[in-house]
Amino acid sequence: MKDATPADLVARNEVAARVMAKHGVEIDDLYAAMLPHLAEYQNPKDVHFGEPGYQFLGQQVAASIRKHIPLLTTVNTAVIPMGKLEKDGYGWEERHEAIMKIKAEINPEIVLIGDSITHFWGGQPEAAKMGNRGTETWQSLFGNRRVLNLGFGWDRTQNVLKRIELGELDGLKPKAIVIHIGTNNLAGTVNARSSTPEEIVSGIAAIVEQARGKCPEAKVILMAIFPRGKTSADPKRALLKQINDLLASGPAKMAGVTFLDITEKWLEPDGSISKEIMPDALHPNQKGYAVWAEALKPVLPN
């Protein structure tokens, strides 16, 4: 009604909220979101908005939808690009911004894409206290070669797809792209559900396709996901084997892709992971990164 007062609108919204609560329907309160911005966005002579106002409302609606996408069970969330999902301890957005600022200056010959395992190795951008765990092996492998580290702690495949969408590979012409991602997709949290092996492989395949599309001249080196868990009895071991088998028969066969499975190099004869190379049975230390470096050396282009 055109004669409705602000008090009338508040009262009606309160009634609507009670009804929605009764039926378990979540509310996206656009009234409260827009109220502080009315003077900026609402037309002075009616109740409608200009284009900036509708963009603002659209962003509010999109944000409320995005909260639930990571938890959907009827779609493969591993292939839906998503920004930061977890508390990361380093600043997901800040690391992305740093990459966007330095990537052209670095003009990398080699690009590494991954999660914390890649993030913590070393290189640019600087990872401060969380990174540089393998600086000696980084230097021995790459030397003076120009390398860009696109590893982000806690990233899942959907996070990598978002970063590519945001432009991290745009304009780059590397000789090689090394991809190691997917282990965090096995972790279910309040922010994102765990993915099945098939979903994870689809997410990795999408990353490979995006990387090939953005950098068609690059050699893509796709890593089998490294083992995790102290012993062979860890439930994730069987899932990782299933994922890696699927990678070998799927994305690994894409044009321009070299598949590198170094699972056995991480394991003791009894299938355990030594603290000497992975203290937490997930993240390599200096000796562990030497294992990865040794495996990469013969497949990196000159």
Side-chain angles (χ1 to χ4, degrees):
M1 295 174 63
K2 67 178 182 179
D3 296 327
T5 66
D8 292 332
L9 297 178
V10 170
R12 292 170 189 175
N13 284 338
E14 289 175 349
V15 172
R18 290 196 295 271
V19 174
M20 295 302 104
K22 179 179 178 181
H23 295 282
V25 177
E26 185 171 332
I27 294 173
D28 185 1
D29 192 347
L30 297 180
Y31 177 90
M34 178 58 82
L35 190 60
H37 306 284
L38 279 179
E40 180 182 1
Y41 291 137
Q42 192 173 53
N43 295 336
K45 296 182 179 180
D46 58 48
V47 298
H48 303 104
F49 304 96
E51 181 62 26
Y54 286 117
Q55 288 182 359
F56 174 82
L57 291 170
Q59 290 168 358
Q60 297 298 311
V61 173
S64 67
I65 294 172
R66 280 197 299 269
K67 288 193 303 183
H68 298 283
I69 289 176
L71 302 174
L72 294 177
T73 58
T74 56
V75 298
N76 182 4
T77 56
V79 299
I80 300 175
M82 292 293 297
K84 175 180 173 178
L85 288 168
E86 307 292 345
K87 292 182 179 179
D88 47 49
Y90 61 90
W92 193 94
E93 295 89 351
E94 290 83 355
R95 184 166 173 83
H96 168 69
E97 290 174 3
I99 285 166
M100 297 301 288
K101 290 178 180 178
I102 67 173
K103 64 174 189 167
E105 179 182 347
I106 293 177
N107 186 23
E109 302 171 65
I110 300 168
V111 173
L112 308 182
I113 295 176
D115 48 43
S116 57
I117 294 170
T118 299
H119 183 170
F120 296 166
W121 193 351
Q124 295 291 325
E126 284 286 344
K129 63 180 181 180
M130 297 189 70
N132 302 318
R133 300 184 184 183
T135 50
E136 292 178 14
T137 54
W138 180 280
Q139 183 61 32
S140 67
L141 176 61
F142 299 121
N144 294 324
R145 302 190 77 173
R146 303 184 308 278
V147 184
L148 182 63
N149 187 333
L150 302 187
F152 279 55
W154 247 125
D155 259 17
R156 298 175 171 89
T157 56
Q158 52 264 49
N159 301 120
V160 173
L161 288 169
K162 184 62 177 181
R163 293 195 280 112
I164 294 175
E165 181 181 280
L166 291 173
E168 288 188 357
L169 291 177
D170 288 2
L172 300 184
K173 297 181 179 180
K175 294 180 179 179
I177 298 175
V178 181
I179 299 173
H180 178 254
I181 192 68
T183 195
N184 289 327
N185 286 79
L186 292 173
T189 70
V190 296
N191 303 306
R193 68 171 177 84
S194 60
S195 303
T196 66
E198 292 80 7
E199 289 175 331
I200 294 170
V201 171
S202 292
I204 295 171
I207 291 168
V208 172
E209 290 173 353
Q210 288 287 325
R212 294 283 295 135
K214 296 285 187 179
C215 307
E217 302 302 317
K219 175 181 182 179
V220 173
I221 301 168
L222 175 61
M223 304 299 306
I225 302 176
F226 299 163
R228 61 184 298 175
K230 295 180 180 179
T231 72
S232 59
D234 189 292
K236 287 187 173 62
R237 292 285 190 92
L239 292 172
L240 289 171
K241 183 181 187 308
Q242 186 177 350
I243 293 166
N244 289 335
D245 287 347
L246 290 170
L247 287 175
S249 61
K253 296 187 179 299
M254 293 181 183
V257 175
T258 295
F259 185 56
L260 193 57
D261 188 346
I262 60 172
T263 299
E264 296 304 317
K265 293 182 181 295
W266 297 108
L267 304 178
E268 297 294 299
D270 63 357
S272 64
I273 297 178
S274 172
K275 290 183 178 180
E276 293 296 314
I277 58 173
M278 279 188 188
D280 62 355
L282 175 61
H283 298 94
N285 58 11
Q286 192 74 253
K287 289 184 178 180
Y289 282 114
V291 173
W292 192 5
E294 181 182 3
L296 279 176
K297 190 172 184 178
V299 297
L300 288 175
N302 295 325

